[in-house]
Amino acid sequence: MALLTSIMDYEFFGTALINTDGLWQLLFRFGLNVLVTSLIIVWLYYSKSKRRDYVFTFTLISTTVFLLIFLLGSEKLQIGLALGLFAIFGIIRYRTDTVPIREMTYLFLIIGLSVINALAISVSYIELFITNFLFVFMTWLMEKTRIVSKSACKLIKYEKIDLVTPEKYNEMLEDIKKRTGLNVTKAEVGYIDFLKDTALVKVYYESASKEINTVDSITRAKDFNG
């Protein structure tokens, strides 16, 4: 026992070899953060999007932000630096692909949750648990209910140029419904090429699928590969 106490009190270059209170605090809060973020990432996000690449990104960003904030918090980390992390990660644009708005929202949520779990030392554990629960509940509410319309949009190249006029709008809508099989609710005519007799039409439709169609986030023809 005396040996254990001496080991705990031992300092190496002015730094304690082990801080049991800090260690247990780290493990407990990290476990809580992993549990809650996993619920959001795997149960709510991945179940609809099936994007494993973003699951990888969200998980490691959450881990990085949590450990960064927790370990630097002991050095009186200023709130400005914590908010700076939101700004840094909030404007991320990967070189190969622009992060869609839904993924950016999840990224912001995961960063915020990790910062709270790491930095909220002064609040009680009950408040911390309730805060985490509210994060999960509100995300579930937005994903699983009809509070937000499950509408989506596609950009199509339409060749029946004679139907893009305002007076033939309903006829064009019916033609698109029949040819795509989608429950189209609205169509907007964009660029018109009279030389090729084509027009770019943005169609909005009600989606019955529970999964997210990642192609729907592409609304410009130049964004398509191939």
Side-chain angles (χ1 to χ4, degrees), residues 26 41 48 60 71 83 101 110 116 133 140 159 176 181:
L26 169 64
I41 295 170
K48 297 190 68 174
L60 290 188
L71 295 177
L83 293 176
I101 187 64
I110 293 302
I116 290 172
F133 169 77
W140 172 84
E159 85 288 356
I176 295 174

Side-chain angles (χ1 to χ4, degrees), residues 63-82:
T63 301
T64 302
V65 170
F66 175 87
L67 293 177
L68 179 64
I69 296 294
F70 185 89
L71 295 177
L72 292 182
S74 61
E75 301 298 329
K76 300 185 184 301
L77 176 70
Q78 297 297 316
I79 191 64
L81 180 56

Side-chain angles (χ1 to χ4, degrees), residues 3-132:
L3 178 62
L4 180 61
T5 303
S6 63
I7 292 176
M8 293 173 59
D9 293 336
Y10 182 76
E11 292 187 357
F12 186 72
F13 291 114
T15 302
L17 183 62
I18 183 172
N19 180 349
T20 54
D21 291 339
L23 178 61
W24 286 115
Q25 184 84 260
L26 169 64
L27 294 177
F28 174 78
R29 288 179 177 270
F30 182 73
L32 174 64
N33 189 64
V34 169
L35 175 62
V36 177
T37 54
S38 296
L39 282 174
I40 294 175
I41 295 170
V42 178
W43 177 46
L44 297 175
Y45 172 77
Y46 182 73
S47 63
K48 297 190 68 174
S49 67
K50 304 301 181 184
R51 294 290 301 270
R52 293 189 179 185
D53 50 346
Y54 281 111
V55 170
F56 174 87
T57 300
F58 293 155
T59 302
L60 290 188
I61 285 181
S62 172
T63 301
T64 302
V65 170
F66 175 87
L67 293 177
L68 179 64
I69 296 294
F70 185 89
L71 295 177
L72 292 182
S74 61
E75 301 298 329
K76 300 185 184 301
L77 176 70
Q78 297 297 316
I79 191 64
L81 180 56
L83 293 176
L85 288 171
F86 282 96
I88 292 171
F89 290 107
I91 60 176
I92 287 177
R93 292 171 64 91
Y94 296 107
R95 293 183 65 86
T96 55
D97 189 20
T98 300
V99 180
I101 187 64
R102 182 171 179 269
E103 276 66 24
M104 283 300 299
T105 303
Y106 268 98
L107 179 59
F108 187 77
L109 186 153
I110 293 302
I111 293 173
L113 189 58
S114 299
V115 170
I116 290 172
N117 287 332
L119 203 59
I121 304 296
S122 60
V123 302
S124 67
Y125 286 124
I126 296 298
E127 291 173 292
L128 189 62
F129 278 118
I130 291 177
T131 300
N132 281 266

Side-chain angles (χ1 to χ4, degrees), residues 195-206:
L195 294 178
K196 296 181 180 179
D197 285 340
T198 59
L200 290 180
V201 181
K202 191 174 184 179
V203 297
Y204 298 84
Y205 65 96
E206 293 294 329

